[in-house]
């Protein structure tokens, strides 16, 4: 069993890289992909722990992009060679855009009479500070009853405190990952077109023409019907298949590493060899 989509506390997860490796090894995973948002810091920190545990570790990343007027997440995998120095330098620019959003989000929350500072949130966020860290502070200070409530009241796109982050275009993100020898995969497609399968099919066909190499067929949010349809999209567009739980630790407590929600996930081992093949071509 493998899991190619996980997050550490270096982005918006709660497990340290060492803790994530230990949990993956303990449950018998044969390979683990770390796909933190906009940073390789979690992967880099996990490498020595994975080597010591004898666990195969796959370098990955999850990028927020703008496509067709909406936010669409793109996974990038580097199973053959490490990401380039150029890509790492570009990620510094991505983090600056995130910091700009965070400053604007603090100002917006303060305008709503929420007593919160960026320093408080950054204490939670460490390497990378995102909305889940804002949510934890809001809960700790009594402005929300739990993480989901904090998003519903202040942080989701429809909430009164929401501030849009500047996002790179899907085209640029695809180009950057491909130029670095990576495999770009469309993350959790169920969130892209809200189960409008005709619309998603058109999106995937367009993205394949732009350089998309794979689609995340297996995910904790995907029903069996979703999985079957995404498999057909991959076959129709000559795309590879990826999959993972999207594990975030305590920030998404219903999602278990390797097995998803209530054991609804099983990512086939052979996907990893297919991923290597995609990266080599």
């Amino acid at each position: 069993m493998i899991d190619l989509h996980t997050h550490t506390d270096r982005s918006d997860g709660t497990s340290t890289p060492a803790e994530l490796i230990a949990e993956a090894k303990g449950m018998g995973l044969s390979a683990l992909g770390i796909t933190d948002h906009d940073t390789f810091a979690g992967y880099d920190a996990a490498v020595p722990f994975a080597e010591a545990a004898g666990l195969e570790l796959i370098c990955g990343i999850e990028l927020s992009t703008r496509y067709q007027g909406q936010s669409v997440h793109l996974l990038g995998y580097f199973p053959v060679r490490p990401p380039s120095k150029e890509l790492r330098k570009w990620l510094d620019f991505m983090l600056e855009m995130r910091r700009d959003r965070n400053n604007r989000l603090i100002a917006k929350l303060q305008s709503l009479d929420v007593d919160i500072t960026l320093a408080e949130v950054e204490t939670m966020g460490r390497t990378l500070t995102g909305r889940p860290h804002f949510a934890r502070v809001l809960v700790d200070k009594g402005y929300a009853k739990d993480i989901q409530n904090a998003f519903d009241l202040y942080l989701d796109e429809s909430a009164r405190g929401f501030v849009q982050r500047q996002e790179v275009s899907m085209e640029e993100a695809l180009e950057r990952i491909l130029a670095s020898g990576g495999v770009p995969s469309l993350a959790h497609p169920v969130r892209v077109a809200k189960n409008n399968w005709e619309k998603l099919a058109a999106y995937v066909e367009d993205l394949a023409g732009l350089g998309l190499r794979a689609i995340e067929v297996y995910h904790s949010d995907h029903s069996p019907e979703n999985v079957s349809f995404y498999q057909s999209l991959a076959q129709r567009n000559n795309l590879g298949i990826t999959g993972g739980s999207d594990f975030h630790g305590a920030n998404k407590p219903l999602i278990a590493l390797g097995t998803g929600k209530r054991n609804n996930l099983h990512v086939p081992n052979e996907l990893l060899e297919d991923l290597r093949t995609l990266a080599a071509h």
Side-chain angles (χ1 to χ4, degrees), residues 70-275:
Q70 65 175 309
S71 181
V72 175
H73 287 193
L74 183 69
L75 293 161
Y77 291 103
F78 303 86
V80 174
R81 65 177 187 266
S84 66
K85 292 180 180 178
E86 290 78 13
L87 182 62
R88 287 178 177 270
K89 186 175 181 180
W90 178 70
L91 289 177
D92 290 338
F93 165 69
M94 298 285 284
L95 292 178
E96 283 301 320
M97 290 196 295
R98 184 181 286 271
R99 291 187 189 101
D100 171 70
R101 188 280 308 273
N102 290 345
N103 278 310
R104 290 185 289 114
L105 180 52
I106 284 291
K108 182 67 173 290
L109 290 171
Q110 289 175 345
S111 76
L112 297 172
D113 296 323
V114 175
D115 180 17
I116 187 172
T117 67
L118 188 55
E120 289 175 308
V121 182
E122 288 181 337
T123 298
M124 297 278 191
R126 299 188 183 185
T127 306
L128 180 149
T129 302
R131 285 184 296 166
H133 306 111
F134 280 82
R136 287 166 63 187
V137 173
L138 291 170
V139 172
D140 288 348
K141 301 190 81 168
Y143 291 102
K145 62 183 181 181
D146 54 35
I147 297 292
Q148 185 58 56
N149 185 235
F151 271 84
D152 292 342
L153 292 176
Y154 296 102
L155 302 172
D156 267 340
E157 290 190 16
S158 59
R160 57 182 180 149
F162 178 75
V163 171
Q164 179 65 54
R165 177 159 70 98
Q166 183 183 354
E167 294 168 322
V168 299
S169 69
M170 172 65 79
E171 291 84 351
E172 181 178 2
L174 287 167
E175 181 180 338
R176 295 279 183 174
I177 292 171
L178 291 168
S180 190
V183 178
S185 176
L186 181 64
H188 35 65
V190 70
R191 302 181 191 172
V192 176
K194 311 302 182 193
N195 273 331
N196 183 333
W197 288 5
E198 184 177 339
K199 185 176 183 180
L200 180 63
Y203 280 179
V204 171
E205 182 178 359
D206 180 53
L207 291 171
L210 294 173
L212 187 72
R213 303 295 298 279
I215 183 170
E216 189 173 43
V217 168
Y218 301 99
H219 186 274
S220 299
D221 288 345
H222 293 175
S223 68
E225 292 78 17
N226 290 140
V227 170
S228 295
F229 179 64
Y230 302 150
Q231 285 174 329
S232 71
L233 282 184
Q235 184 174 21
R236 191 185 319 169
N237 292 280
N238 196 29
L239 295 172
I241 289 173
T242 66
S245 63
D246 205 356
F247 176 75
H248 283 70
N251 280 342
K252 293 187 178 180
L254 296 181
I255 297 177
L257 182 65
T259 59
K261 294 178 180 176
R262 296 180 293 277
N263 294 313
N264 73 335
L265 183 77
H266 181 86
V267 182
N269 290 1
E270 56 266 25
L271 292 192
L272 186 52
E273 193 55 44
D274 294 342
L275 191 62

